[in-house]
Amino acid sequence: MKELFKNLDYATIKGVGEDEVLVTFNGEDYEIKLTDTTRTPIFEAVEQGIFIVPFNSVTKELLIEVNTEVMEEYFPEVFMKELDGAADFDPEEFEKENENK
């Protein structure tokens, strides 16, 4: 498996402060400093009721920072023109199509 995912695990968010997040992994708590790139995704996740986050079990860091180069290396299909729009989903259109079923 690619290096990015070598130590991928999932931690549970126990609490969020302005500058840190408290997560638990394998029964141990870790306080992780939030950075400019991790702060917004963590706040948004908690607001949406998502309390499970990708976690590097060796470095004890959150695995949230993914840039275009990483996406292109690990998930090249994301950039395939043939797949543009393949996953477009309109909830209203779905409801209309399935009203009378």
Side-chain angles (χ1 to χ4, degrees):
M1 183 155 260
K2 301 273 188 177
E3 191 66 31
L4 177 69
F5 301 107
K6 187 174 181 182
N7 303 309
L8 172 65
D9 279 294
Y10 293 92
T12 305
I13 296 174
K14 291 180 76 174
V16 179
E18 200 159 312
D19 296 317
E20 69 282 324
V21 60
L22 180 65
V23 299
T24 186
F25 173 73
N26 279 350
E28 291 188 43
D29 290 347
Y30 299 93
E31 188 171 283
I32 300 170
K33 188 127 180 93
L34 292 172
T35 65
D36 290 340
T37 54
T38 60
R39 182 175 284 106
T40 299
I42 290 293
F43 287 163
E44 288 176 354
V46 170
E47 285 177 2
Q48 295 174 23
I50 300 169
F51 295 94
I52 305 294
V53 291
F55 182 73
N56 184 316
S57 57
V58 173
T59 63
K60 311 302 186 229
E61 297 174 322
L62 299 175
L63 294 174
I64 292 178
E65 301 174 35
V66 177
N67 59 35
T68 303
E69 291 92 28
V70 171
M71 287 295 289
E72 199 162 3
E73 180 180 350
Y74 293 99
F75 306 105
E77 64 275 6
V78 170
F79 300 95
M80 293 175 62
K81 295 286 183 208
E82 298 85 4
L83 297 178
D84 279 354
D88 290 348
F89 176 73
D90 182 355
E92 291 176 12
E93 185 177 317
F94 178 79
E95 285 181 23
K96 286 178 187 176
E97 290 174 358
N98 292 288
E99 266 179 359
N100 299 323
K101 289 186 180 182

